[in-house]
């Protein structure tokens, strides 16, 4: 890898999952061309009903429309997407569900992964001694990615509906209540993590909440880890230091991510 400068979000954080998730699901052309806009809109419409939500509805609708009309033949043979349609044809999953599953993958797997990859670069730029630790101890790669996810959760909040009355710390949450579960706050709970506001790649917080938890915990976390580990590992092997001069965040309804990250200088190993 040559030393130099680059903009890390467009050229790495967005470029990398775009290739991986598109190949995994097996689409190209129209689907791939729109994946970033669709993925972003799918997250924006989950939040409060504000201007961002309203502007994103038509775009999220395009994704829904595409997923409703796509067939197995539109997807690359051997891809996971084609496999899901094959499972539907065999009757292994309910009729009409394949398009919905693909919709879930596209909606949930794009913006979240982009956020986490941007965060890897930004946090290693801010904490050069932590990059150095991973360089010296490559076995820390999974722990370092888990710490990136704990420290800066891509999704700070997610939803639950109470299916029965539940008592939490002396307060009864009634059946039917809508709850916001504060994943990012839980990740910084001092009762659980020592010095929670310190970014420490040796911590190995395997129980962080950034993938949610329980039966509906993130279905794509295996893939997300593969992607995150690949990026952390490549940086640790090939980069001595990262100097960041500009980090721009834009408000988003759901995903806390960096929109532009100017790496003024990356020194190759
Ligand atoms: C670092 C990247 C990612 C983060 C931080 C993340 C985070 C999350 C979170 C917080 C949830 C809600 C879990 C809950 O309700 O307990 C979720 C659900 C989900 N995620 Fe991810 N995700 C990531 C990547 C992906 C990828 C790459 C895919 C697939 C390609 C994916 C597919 C899904 C699906 C299908 C669900 C819904 C699971 C269900 O409701 O049963 N995610 N994710």
């Amino acid at each position: 890898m040559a030393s130099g400068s680059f903009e890390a979000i467009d050229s790495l954080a967005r470029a990398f999952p775009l290739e991986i998730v598109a190949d995994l699901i097996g689409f190209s052309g129209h689907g791939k061309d729109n994946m970033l806009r669709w993925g972003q809109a799918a997250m924006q419409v989950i939040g409060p009903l504000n201007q961002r939500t309203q502007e994103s509805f038509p775009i999220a609708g395009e994704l829904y429309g595409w997923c409703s009309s796509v067939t197995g033949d539109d997807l690359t043979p051997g891809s996971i997407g084609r496999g899901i349609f094959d499972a539907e044809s065999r009757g292994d999953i309910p009729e009409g569900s394949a398009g919905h599953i693909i919709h879930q993958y596209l909606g949930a797997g794009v913006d979240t992964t982009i956020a986490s990859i941007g965060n890897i670069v930004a946090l290693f730029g801010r904490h050069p001694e932590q990059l150095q630790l991973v360089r010296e101890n490559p076995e820390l790669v999974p722990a370092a990615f888990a710490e990136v996810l704990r420290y800066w959760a891509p999704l700070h909040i997610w939803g639950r509906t109470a299916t029965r009355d539940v008592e939490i710390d002396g307060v009864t949450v009634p059946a039917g209540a809508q709850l916001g579960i504060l994943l990012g706050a839980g990740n910084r709970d001092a009762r659980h993590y020592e010095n929670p506001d310190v970014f420490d790649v040796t911590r190995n917080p395997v129980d962080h909440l950034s993938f949610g938890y329980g039966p509906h915990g993130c279905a794509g976390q295996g893939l997300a880890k593969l992607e995150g580990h690949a990026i952390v590992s490549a940086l640790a092997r090939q980069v001595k230091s990262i100097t960041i001069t500009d980090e721009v965040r834009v408000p988003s309804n759901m995903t806390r991510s960096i929109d532009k990250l100017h790496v003024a200088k990356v020194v190759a190993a």
Side-chain angles (χ1 to χ4, degrees):
M1 184 188 189
S3 298
S5 65
F6 71 113
E7 196 287 304
I9 305 301
D10 275 341
S11 60
L12 179 66
R14 291 192 177 108
F16 188 73
L18 183 66
E19 292 302 322
I20 308 271
V21 178
D23 276 359
L24 174 91
I25 301 179
F27 60 66
S28 51
H30 185 64
K32 190 168 173 180
D33 292 346
N34 284 286
M35 203 177 112
L36 290 177
R37 318 171 41 239
W38 288 350
Q40 187 179 45
M43 280 289 162
Q44 296 282 33
V45 296
I46 302 175
L49 193 58
N50 55 20
Q51 193 185 340
R52 269 190 296 278
T53 321
Q54 280 162 356
E55 288 171 359
S56 299
F57 267 128
I59 307 171
E62 287 174 32
L63 167 63
Y64 191 81
W66 185 79
C67 291
S68 308
S69 60
V70 72
T71 66
D73 290 340
D74 298 326
L75 304 172
T76 319
S79 64
I80 289 192
R82 179 70 87 91
I84 293 169
F85 275 96
D86 291 346
E88 187 183 285
S89 310
R90 288 193 306 269
D92 291 347
I93 56 174
E95 202 182 326
S97 60
H100 292 302
I101 294 175
I102 287 171
H103 181 258
Q104 282 266 298
Y105 282 174
L106 271 175
V110 178
D111 253 23
T112 45
T113 314
I114 292 171
S116 70
I117 294 175
N119 291 348
I120 293 172
V121 180
L123 283 168
F124 279 154
R126 287 185 184 203
H127 302 277
E129 78 294 346
Q130 298 297 312
L131 174 59
Q132 187 54 31
L133 271 173
V134 187
R135 284 173 51 70
E136 287 163 8
N137 307 281
E139 71 280 3
L140 285 177
V141 166
F145 185 53
E147 179 67 351
V148 168
L149 290 170
R150 182 196 73 84
Y151 193 74
W152 279 353
L155 297 171
H156 271 208
I157 184 166
W158 202 247
R160 289 285 189 275
T161 303
T163 53
R164 55 181 169 80
D165 287 0
V166 189
E167 190 170 312
I168 302 173
D169 279 347
V171 176
T172 301
V173 178
Q178 299 279 312
L179 298 165
I181 45 171
L182 303 177
L183 307 173
N187 282 345
R188 299 284 189 111
D189 189 337
R191 293 166 299 184
H192 191 71
Y193 295 112
E194 204 174 313
N195 300 323
D197 297 333
V198 173
F199 177 67
D200 174 3
V201 295
T202 65
R203 182 191 301 272
N204 198 20
V206 286
D207 54 359
H208 69 75
L209 296 173
S210 294
F211 288 127
Y213 58 89
H216 286 283
C218 177
Q221 57 187 282
L223 174 63
K225 284 179 196 165
L226 278 178
E227 294 182 70
H229 295 174
I231 299 284
V232 174
S233 165
L235 287 177
R237 271 184 282 115
Q238 302 190 30
V239 169
K240 261 195 206 151
S241 70
I242 298 168
T243 307
I244 289 165
T245 48
D246 207 10
E247 181 185 308
V248 181
R249 290 181 184 271
V250 288
S252 156
N253 283 359
M254 288 305 294
T255 322
R256 185 176 182 275
S257 60
I258 302 168
D259 194 49
K260 291 269 171 249
L261 186 67
H262 189 65
V263 179
K265 193 172 168 199
V266 51
V267 177

